[in-house]
Amino acid sequence: MHAQHFRGVENLVFEWARAIDENRVEDICALLAPEGRYTVQSRFNADRKLPHALMDAHSPAQLRDRIRSMRLANIYEPQHYRHLVSGVQIVGGDVDSGLQVRSNFVVVRTMDLDGDMKLFAAGQCEDVVDVRGAEPRFARRHFKLDSRLVETLMVIPL
């Protein structure tokens, strides 16, 4: 149904993960549409339509401020993510209202000081992708975590 957009949508999903994995976190802001929203929420809350989220940026500017804070103000042990993304599918929508996209993710966190690696997060992304411009952009990026628990403070966006 949306074959002409699939490769661009898939590349958008993968570029988000790659930017974070390569410590180019600031670059994810440009992958959001001007009115784009980024949310990280437990599946428990999302399924029950509860509003609480671990992160919820209502614009690229708000996400940029969060990242700037991460770089300049927050004190945390240096760490890195590695995303594994699979199952990218366009499951609905249209060009005018945005394509509904689903993908699965696993994030492994590696601590810089001791090299300790742990499964940090797993779940599904439920995205809306705007394909009307020259490049696809996320109108909504919604990470639904399978677990209600995050082992430690989530500093870096997923």
Side-chain angles (χ1 to χ4, degrees), residues 9-10 42 45 50 62 82 86 93 96 108-109 125 142:
V9 166
E10 185 181 48
S42 72
N45 284 352
L50 299 173
Q62 197 174 32
R82 179 67 57 205
S86 70
D96 293 327
V108 176
R109 186 190 66 200
C125 283
H142 188 184

Side-chain angles (χ1 to χ4, degrees), residues 75-80 109-116 156:
I75 298 172
Y76 62 97
E77 182 178 346
Q79 54 194 272
H80 304 280
R109 186 190 66 200
T110 303
M111 305 309 284
D112 229 20
L113 298 179
D114 63 6
D116 183 44
I156 302 170

Side-chain angles (χ1 to χ4, degrees), residues 7 18 21 57 66 91 99 128 139:
R7 187 59 67 198
R18 185 169 292 110
D21 291 351
R66 171 84 185 217
V91 296
L99 301 179
V128 176

Side-chain angles (χ1 to χ4, degrees), residues 5 33 94-99 129-137 139:
H5 299 294
D94 58 45
V95 172
D96 293 327
S97 65
L99 301 179
V129 176
D130 183 347
V131 293
R132 293 175 294 174
E135 296 288 329
R137 295 288 175 256

Side-chain angles (χ1 to χ4, degrees), residues 22-154:
E22 294 175 355
N23 199 24
R24 297 182 289 111
V25 182
E26 291 79 2
D27 292 354
I28 66 174
C29 299
L31 302 178
L32 284 173
E35 302 296 322
R37 185 172 181 176
Y38 165 75
T39 306
V40 177
Q41 186 178 33
S42 72
R43 183 173 66 180
F44 180 88
N45 284 352
D47 289 351
R48 289 159 181 76
K49 309 246 185 291
L50 299 173
H52 179 73
L54 285 106
M55 285 189 187
D56 194 16
H58 293 249
S59 70
Q62 197 174 32
L63 182 57
R64 200 173 1 269
D65 286 348
R66 171 84 185 217
I67 293 166
R68 186 172 297 125
S69 172
M70 174 193 86
R71 296 282 195 207
L72 301 175
N74 294 350
I75 298 172
Y76 62 97
E77 182 178 346
Q79 54 194 272
H80 304 280
Y81 287 169
R82 179 67 57 205
H83 287 74
L84 303 172
V85 179
S86 70
V88 178
Q89 292 180 299
I90 299 174
V91 296
D94 58 45
V95 172
D96 293 327
S97 65
L99 301 179
Q100 296 172 4
V101 177
R102 300 292 177 269
S103 60
N104 300 314
F105 68 91
V106 170
V107 177
V108 176
R109 186 190 66 200
T110 303
M111 305 309 284
D112 229 20
L113 298 179
D114 63 6
D116 183 44
M117 293 185 354
K118 291 199 173 164
L119 177 62
F120 184 68
Q124 183 179 69
C125 283
E126 295 182 351
D127 302 320
V128 176
V129 176
D130 183 347
V131 293
R132 293 175 294 174
E135 296 288 329
R137 295 288 175 256
F138 291 108
R140 178 156 172 76
R141 187 109 235 247
H142 188 184
F143 284 80
K144 286 175 53 175
L145 302 174
D146 287 340
S147 176
R148 288 190 262 175
L149 303 174
V150 174
E151 179 203 344
T152 187
L153 179 67
M154 182 181 293

